[in-house]
């Protein structure tokens, strides 16, 4: 019956996806396991990935992130194969929820990662929300820019603001006291210039510098980097498992989302192919 066929297909699909997830989990690790920053400010791959110094490519790179945690496979493959990284890196992850729509104030979540100028944007969306549109880059840029400004404002708010009242900030000059047995001692030592003012100025400079880098990269070029994973069955796999995996891979290859369906400009898309054994 149709119900029996659908049940078999569901079981097959579930089995195949579990094998795929298990294989992909081997490549999930923090960004600092892949890239480290040298004393001169340059980035290089860690020794586990060859240790090459990374070239800086001008532009705004949006990496499609399947898992939404640790380092996306496509980013690892891009860096290890090209030994280069965009000026600004965005890990873009779509997280569907079981509701028609998600309100704008709850839809977006941005975080900063260990790599300089690297951010993760998670978009929670319902089945009625349209997220992937031709102006996706503009949406990503605005969300990351707002995050930089908000996080900078929070840091500034934690710094006590110096008062402008002269009477409140006046510190009397040092006075000399005479002690008959121990000589002269100083009291009421003057304070130095306000450290808080310097911290506030430094916070402002950091916000402006981060926003300027983001704007310059966005204005120069936007690239969408997508992973194209080819799955192969390991040599020596048992016959029954081999048959099931072959059926799953056939279904997967014929139901895979095509680039044209993403709705982003095709001339800005880069596909990074890699092989994963299951």
């Amino acid at each position: 019956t149709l119900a029996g066929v659908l049940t078999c297909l569901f079981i097959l699909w579930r089995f195949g996806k579990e094998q795929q997830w298990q294989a992909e989990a081997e490549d999930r690790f923090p960004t600092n396991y892949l890239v480290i920053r040298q004393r001169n400010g340059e980035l290089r791959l860690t020794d586990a990935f060859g240790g090459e110094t990374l070239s800086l490519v001008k532009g705004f790179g949006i990496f499609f992130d399947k898992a939404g945690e640790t380092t996306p496979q496509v980013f690892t493959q891009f860096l290890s194969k090209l030994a280069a990284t965009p000026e600004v890196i965005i890990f873009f992850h779509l997280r569907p929820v079981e509701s028609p729509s998600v309100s704008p104030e709850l839809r977006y979540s941005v975080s900063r990662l260990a790599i300089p100028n690297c951010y993760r944007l998670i978009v929670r969306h319902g089945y009625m929300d349209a997220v992937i549109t031709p102006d996706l880059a503009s949406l990503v840029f605005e969300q990351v820019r707002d995050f930089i400004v908000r996080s900078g404002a929070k840091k500034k708010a934690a710094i006590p603001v110096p008062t402008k009242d002269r009477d409140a900030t006046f510190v009397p000059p040092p006075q000399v006291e005479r002690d008959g047995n121990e000589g002269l001692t100083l009291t009421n030592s003057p304070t130095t210039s306000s450290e808080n003012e310097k911290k506030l100025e430094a916070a402002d400079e950091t916000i402006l510098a981060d926003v300027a880098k983001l704007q310059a990269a966005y204005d120069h070029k936007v690239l969408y980097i997508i992973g194209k994973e080819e799955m192969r069955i390991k040599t020596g796999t048992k016959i029954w498992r081999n048959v099931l995996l072959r059926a799953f891979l056939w279904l997967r290859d014929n139901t895979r989302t095509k680039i044209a369906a993403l709705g982003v400009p095709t001339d800005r898309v880069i596909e990074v192919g890699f092989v994963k054994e299951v």
Side-chain angles (χ1 to χ4, degrees):
T1 64
L2 179 60
V5 172
L6 292 176
T7 301
C8 291
L9 288 175
F10 174 79
I11 294 173
L12 173 64
W13 186 259
R14 182 68 186 183
F15 168 78
K17 294 302 288 186
E18 287 177 353
Q19 302 304 308
Q20 177 184 340
W21 295 333
Q22 185 177 349
E24 291 175 347
E26 299 172 357
D27 296 332
R28 292 178 186 168
F29 41 77
T31 53
N32 55 12
Y33 181 74
L34 174 66
V35 177
I36 58 175
R37 190 171 187 174
Q38 303 182 99
R39 291 184 178 180
N40 59 4
E42 292 183 341
L43 299 177
R44 76 170 179 87
L45 294 171
T46 58
D47 294 338
F49 291 89
E52 291 184 78
T53 299
L54 296 175
S55 301
L56 197 63
V57 179
K58 289 186 177 181
F60 191 85
I62 301 175
F63 291 82
F64 282 77
D65 181 6
K66 289 174 59 178
E69 56 187 18
T70 63
T71 307
Q73 272 191 312
V74 61
F75 182 68
T76 304
Q77 295 291 330
F78 185 90
L79 263 62
S80 59
K81 290 180 177 179
L82 301 179
T85 178
E87 279 182 307
V88 173
I89 304 160
I90 310 294
F91 296 160
F92 180 79
H93 172 67
L94 291 173
R95 184 166 295 172
V97 299
E98 296 179 355
S99 62
S101 184
V102 177
S103 59
E105 61 271 15
L106 300 175
R107 185 176 298 176
Y108 306 105
S109 174
V110 185
S111 56
R112 191 190 297 265
L113 303 181
I115 301 175
N117 304 311
C118 181
Y119 307 87
R120 173 174 279 117
L121 171 60
I122 296 176
V123 182
R124 299 174 68 250
H125 66 96
Y127 50 81
M128 296 291 290
D129 293 324
V131 180
I132 305 296
T133 60
D135 62 345
L136 175 63
S138 175
L139 181 148
V140 172
F141 168 77
E142 290 174 3
Q143 292 300 321
V144 175
R145 181 193 58 195
D146 292 347
F147 165 78
I148 292 172
V149 174
R150 287 196 308 269
S151 58
K154 287 181 180 178
K155 291 181 180 179
K156 288 178 61 179
I159 302 173
V161 180
T163 178
K164 300 297 182 181
D165 188 350
R166 288 187 178 182
D167 293 334
T169 58
F170 174 74
V171 178
Q175 301 295 323
V176 178
E177 292 181 355
R178 181 174 296 278
D179 189 316
N181 296 323
E182 298 181 5
L184 299 178
T185 60
L186 292 179
T187 61
N188 297 334
S189 299
T191 58
T192 59
S193 59
S194 174
E195 293 293 329
N196 290 341
E197 289 183 351
K198 293 181 180 179
K199 290 180 181 179
L200 289 171
E201 291 176 1
D204 284 333
E205 291 175 0
T206 299
I207 295 171
L208 292 174
D210 288 346
V211 171
K213 289 177 184 177
L214 189 74
Q215 184 73 57
Y218 177 76
D219 291 341
H220 182 78
K221 183 184 295 182
V222 175
L223 293 175
Y224 301 96
I225 301 96
I226 300 170
K228 186 174 183 180
E229 182 183 55
E230 179 182 339
M231 302 188 71
R232 294 179 183 174
I233 301 172
K234 293 179 181 178
T235 305
T237 299
K238 293 180 180 180
I239 295 177
W240 67 269
R241 187 173 182 272
N242 193 307
V243 172
L244 291 175
L245 286 174
R246 285 185 183 278
F248 164 73
L249 294 179
W250 183 85
L251 284 174
R252 180 176 178 268
D253 290 340
N254 285 277
T255 57
R256 183 180 297 180
T257 303
K258 307 300 181 184
I259 290 180
L262 290 176
V264 297
T266 306
D267 59 342
R268 295 185 179 183
V269 175
I270 295 177
E271 272 193 307
V272 181
F274 54 95
V275 176
K276 194 67 185 174
E277 290 189 334
V278 292

